[in-house]
Amino acid sequence: MSKVLNFKQELTACFGQPVSENPTQAMIEAAYRHHGLAWRYLTIEVSPEGLADAVKGVRAMGFRGFNCTIPHKVEVIQHLDGLGESASLMEAVNCVVRRGDKLIGENTDGKGFVESLKPLITIPGKKVVVLGAGGASRAICVELALAGASHITLLNRSANRGETLAKLLRERVKVGLAYESWTSDYKVPEGTDIVVNATSIGLFPDVDARIPLDVSTLKPGMVVADVIPNPPRTRLVRDAEARGCKVIDGLGMLVNQGVIGIRHWTGIDPDPTVMRKALEEVFG
Ligand code: NDP
């Protein structure tokens, strides 16, 4: 039986649920069962001090790979043998894959996001507004640029994080970029094609938290995407739908990054509908 691990230190902070109900585990193992794979995907808490030994354990025990979340996404890099293109550009890894006797770091967060956009819009030449400049935003902005978006307007509350991401994007990818400090309700400019909430505003239990955004500037036909997986129908998703926008919830990104991870580890193309159903059951 093959195994894939999921290193999380702050699982309850990430998803507000105990380890035994970890949504990613439920989603990945539902796909394994559906496709008749006798694999497991186990959630294991690893402290920052234990990370080096945990990766040694992965090597020693022949695991096929693992996912990792904050606080391991950057620190894990020093323990790996190489990085895929996106992970190298972002300097963050959320998915490790064994290739031969090497452990290679990939980043599937932004790729999962871009996959979830594809049924609704073609990305080349599009103008995007991205709210937030944390890890999710970094992954999304890099992949949008690699997918051919023409312009990104990036907004962040704290200048430090916002300017750091803006600098990374200017230096490493080809995309028109404007960085704006986010101090009041943002008015989405005319001609914007895609609006992305990449902040943690609206994540359970703060489900009624309001994003500083003038929703009257969301226009019919715009694509509005929210990264929040729990709850999937966030206040932004509901507001955008009511204004005639096409919406993508955070489950789409989560499912698609899981699909890409399973493809990396097992070589099969899993059925995303089975995976989404498993997540919906966990999130009620
Ligand atoms: P980070 O902590 O790295 O970044 C959080 C971002 O949210 C920062 O830009 C922060 O701004 C901003 N923010 C938080 N609260 C506020 C507020 N009240 N007003 C304005 N800005 C705010 O987190 P991640 O980027 O890793 O994750 C962000 C969200 O994305 C999480 O909710 C996570 O669940 C979700 N996510 C979803 C995935 C999926 O597959 N659906 C995958 C990965 C993440 P500042 O810098 O000013 O603090």
Side-chain angles (χ1 to χ4, degrees):
M1 179 185 293
S2 291
K3 295 192 183 72
V4 178
L5 300 179
N6 183 15
F7 287 180
K8 290 173 184 280
Q9 198 203 359
E10 295 170 334
L11 202 68
T12 32
C14 289
F15 286 104
Q17 301 203 9
V19 170
S20 59
E21 290 173 31
N22 176 250
T24 308
Q25 181 172 344
M27 170 181 82
I28 302 276
E29 294 209 320
Y32 289 168
R33 282 193 300 277
H34 180 75
H35 293 282
L37 292 176
W39 286 48
R40 292 299 315 273
Y41 178 97
L42 307 173
T43 301
I44 296 174
E45 293 195 36
V46 174
S47 66
E49 308 76 57
L51 183 61
D53 286 340
V55 179
K56 278 189 195 151
V58 167
R59 292 181 191 277
M61 291 184 280
F63 288 107
R64 300 294 284 269
F66 59 92
N67 279 133
C68 54
T69 67
I70 291 169
H72 301 312
K73 285 186 175 182
V74 176
E75 290 304 312
V76 75
I77 292 174
Q78 63 190 296
H79 306 299
L80 303 177
D81 303 306
L83 298 179
E85 185 195 10
S86 302
S88 168
L89 287 170
M90 293 166 201
E91 294 177 347
V93 163
N94 77 326
C95 178
V96 174
V97 187
R98 178 186 293 273
R99 298 203 175 107
D101 60 353
K102 304 256 187 286
L103 290 181
I104 305 299
E106 301 281 356
N107 198 306
T108 60
D109 278 336
K111 289 185 199 303
F113 177 79
V114 163
E115 279 304 308
S116 65
L117 276 184
K118 281 182 182 168
L120 296 188
I121 191 165
T122 53
I123 297 166
K126 296 300 188 296
K127 292 189 176 138
V128 191
V129 167
V130 179
L131 308 170
S137 171
R138 185 192 300 206
I140 286 168
C141 289
V142 167
E143 293 294 349
L144 284 170
L146 293 178
S150 63
H151 191 273
I152 295 175
T153 302
L154 180 68
L155 287 103
N156 201 53
R157 176 182 60 178
S158 71
N160 189 17
R161 229 172 352 176
E163 282 161 10
T164 301
L165 178 54
K167 182 168 179 288
L168 181 144
L169 294 170
R170 283 196 185 100
E171 288 174 354
R172 300 193 175 191
V173 288
K174 228 179 111 196
V175 68
L177 187 81
Y179 169 66
E180 293 184 28
S181 170
W182 195 11
T183 50
S184 57
D185 279 12
Y186 182 67
K187 292 187 192 316
V188 176
E190 295 272 346
T192 299
D193 301 294
I194 304 167
V195 178
V196 186
N197 172 39
T199 74
S200 44
I201 304 171
L203 185 65
F204 180 86
D206 296 320
V207 296
D208 291 323
R210 183 183 158 275
I211 296 175
L213 178 71
D214 179 350
V215 291
S216 73
T217 59
L218 298 174
K219 301 293 180 213
M222 277 182 189
V223 173
V224 176
D226 200 332
V227 298
I228 300 295
N230 181 23
R233 284 188 60 74
T234 56
R235 185 168 172 169
L236 175 65
V237 163
R238 286 180 274 125
D239 284 347
E241 246 174 18
R243 301 200 56 80
C245 304
K246 300 179 216 168
V247 300
I248 298 171
D249 65 30
L251 292 190
M253 176 176 173
L254 195 52
V255 167
N256 282 312
Q257 62 90 7
V259 166
I260 298 165
I262 292 176
R263 211 181 279 146
H264 277 312
W265 298 317
T266 71
I268 69 153
D269 249 323
D271 182 346
T273 55
V274 171
M275 296 166 69
R276 184 169 176 114
K277 189 163 169 282
L279 280 181
E280 285 171 351
E281 277 166 16
V282 175
F283 290 135

